Amino acid sequence: MRLPRLLRTTPFRLTLLFLALFAAAASAFLGYIYVATAGEVNRRADAEISREMESLEAAYRQGGVNALNQTIVERATGERPFLYFLADKTGKRISGSIEASPLEDFEGDGPSWSSFKVTEVDLDGAEMRNAARGVQERLAGGEVLFVGADVAASEGYVRKIVRALWGAGALVIILGLAGGVLISRNVSRSMQGLVDLVAAVQAGDLHARAKVRGARDEYDELAEGLNDMLDRIERLMGGLRHAGDAIAHDLRSPLTRLRARMEVALIDAENGKGDPVAALETALQDADGVLKTFNAVLAIARLQAAGQAPDQTSFDSSELARDMAELYEFSCEDKGLDFKAEITPALNIRGNREFIAQALANLLDNAIKYTPSGGAIMLRARRRSSGELEFSITDTGPGVPDEDRARVVQRFVRLENSRSEPGAGLGLSLVQAVAASHGGRLELAEGPGEYNGMGPGLRVALVLPRIE
């Protein structure tokens, strides 16, 4: 038989476990209380019996057995809560409130204690057997004296305390079960929303989100974390769909040209016309462009999958910046651009030199590509007042509108004014991935404004954290 779903939930099982532990602890506690209380009752009874025995022995020492007998008779007929029995040397009863001693095998080697039952008759004539306790001694003259007391009332008080504690324990268990059921229902209701969310996502609904109750508890934290994760997954899936469209758009033309040129070269070769070497060189250039695109995609995927740049070392990034300035200064001269570099020396940083160099190369390539002839490009490498390291490239090209700056760093995103230029829209995406993998960030801002009638330009900064 399958239990109801509520009884199979983890919170309810934890409730049962805690109740079992509580019941075990309560049982041990009640056992201790019972033993301690019963022991205290017996000790008090024994102390009173001992005092009574000493009192009777004092009477015996003063007046002998006759005085002791008279004292017992007086006390037995009074309201003293004791049981008495006095016998001679032969064991024959002399007096007392009971007919026989509970200790039949008494040897007389000192005080002998015993617990026993005493029979009483209540007002209705019914017999009751009550618990009693007593001590028996042999007197100096050989007589046997027994003094006992009825402890039924004390033991009844102990039993009442134990029953009250058991009742309280049972009430706590019942309330605990009820609270466990209530908590389990609330937890199950909260978890059911997450289960429904997972089912919806498994069914392909990436727009589903977990409900945040506003309680700011662990369930809200879990829901917010799931929502953030689903937002990222949705963005990544959207990026993948867009990447597929972009790859199809940006690679279709070079692949088509590559095939057409190879086909024309093959026809010309068959007819003895054309220059097959030049055709192959052009085809190789197209193939290099395709491979460059795929290599950039792989580099971005590698950085995003690793979470941080691999093989990081400490090095002087100012030397890297100077190398990049020397390398791209000639490219700027070839295009008729004014190039300058301001590099602060001794810019120590920890990172992957190859990836940072690739990021700077992408930024400089973009600046040269989109800055018209006659414009200017500035490379700066400096340390900010916060201790962060900044590489910035400023150009006087067309710039990037404010509304497009967050989008332009995504993979395969190309603005309309850049469609005429070669490329796949991966340059800034790789720089963004390099920055994130080093714990830094990429900043896009307005350029220097108009320069020789050009502008407004763009300032791109690769900001890396300081070395602690």
Side-chain angles (χ1 to χ4, degrees), residues 61-112:
R61 288 192 297 271
Q62 291 178 359
V65 68
N66 292 329
L68 175 60
N69 183 35
Q70 182 180 357
T71 302
I72 290 175
V73 171
E74 292 175 355
R75 294 183 179 184
T77 57
E79 297 182 354
R80 299 178 70 87
F82 293 103
L83 304 173
Y84 302 101
F85 178 79
L86 178 63
D88 59 16
K89 299 177 181 180
T90 63
K92 182 179 179 181
R93 182 179 182 275
I94 298 176
S95 63
S97 58
I98 55 177
E99 295 299 326
S101 170
L103 299 175
E104 298 178 355
D105 301 328
F106 180 65
E107 297 294 338
D109 295 332
S112 180

Side-chain angles (χ1 to χ4, degrees), residues 97-344:
S97 58
I98 55 177
E99 295 299 326
S101 170
L103 299 175
E104 298 178 355
D105 301 328
F106 180 65
E107 297 294 338
D109 295 332
S112 180
W113 289 87
S114 174
S115 296
F116 58 97
K117 297 287 185 180
V118 61
T119 302
E120 291 186 358
V121 179
D122 60 9
L123 298 178
D124 297 328
E127 291 186 354
M128 298 184 302
R129 292 180 59 81
N130 296 333
R133 184 168 174 78
V135 62
Q136 185 167 290
E137 292 187 8
R138 188 173 293 279
L139 302 177
E143 297 85 357
V144 174
L145 175 62
F146 173 84
V147 178
D150 188 340
V151 295
S154 298
E155 291 192 355
Y157 175 71
V158 172
R159 287 193 295 271
K160 287 181 180 180
I161 293 176
V162 172
R163 283 197 297 268
L165 292 174
W166 277 115
L171 180 61
V172 169
I173 291 176
I174 293 173
L175 293 177
L177 285 173
V181 171
L182 181 62
I183 293 172
S184 299
R185 290 184 61 185
N186 291 336
V187 172
S188 297
R189 191 178 298 113
S190 300
M191 293 303 296
Q192 187 60 43
L194 300 180
V195 172
D196 294 340
L197 170 65
V198 172
V201 173
Q202 288 178 337
D205 183 10
L206 294 181
H207 299 292
R209 294 294 182 271
K211 181 180 179 182
V212 180
R213 301 175 301 172
R216 309 307 303 171
D217 55 8
E218 61 272 15
Y219 294 106
D220 277 359
E221 292 179 1
L222 178 59
E224 291 173 353
L226 286 174
N227 289 341
D228 292 341
M229 179 184 68
L230 289 173
D231 289 340
R232 184 174 181 183
I233 290 176
E234 187 176 13
R235 287 194 300 269
L236 290 175
M237 293 300 294
L240 288 175
R241 287 192 294 268
H242 180 66
D245 296 340
I247 288 176
H249 181 275
D250 290 313
L251 297 185
R252 180 176 57 191
S253 296
L255 290 175
T256 302
R257 287 195 304 268
L258 176 60
R259 186 184 186 283
R261 287 170 180 170
M262 294 178 70
E263 185 176 4
V264 170
L266 181 59
I267 294 173
D268 289 343
E270 291 177 351
N271 296 330
K273 300 179 181 179
D275 186 356
V277 176
L280 286 175
E281 290 178 351
T282 305
L284 283 174
Q285 292 177 0
D286 291 340
D288 288 341
V290 174
L291 289 175
K292 185 178 180 181
T293 298
F294 279 110
N295 287 335
V297 172
L298 290 176
I300 294 172
R302 178 187 175 191
L303 288 174
Q304 291 179 339
Q308 61 178 4
D311 304 326
Q312 296 190 35
T313 58
S314 297
F315 64 95
D316 186 0
S317 61
S318 61
E319 296 180 1
L320 173 62
R322 281 192 291 269
D323 292 341
M324 300 301 294
E326 292 177 3
L327 178 63
Y328 281 89
E329 184 177 6
F330 298 105
S331 299
C332 291
E333 291 178 357
D334 292 341
K335 193 175 179 180
L337 300 175
D338 183 15
F339 179 82
K340 291 184 180 180
E342 294 180 0
I343 301 172
T344 303

Side-chain angles (χ1 to χ4, degrees), residues 344-361:
T344 303
L347 296 176
N348 294 323
I349 193 172
R350 181 172 181 80
N352 185 299
R353 194 178 193 279
E354 178 183 352
F355 279 123
I356 294 176
Q358 182 63 54
L360 294 178

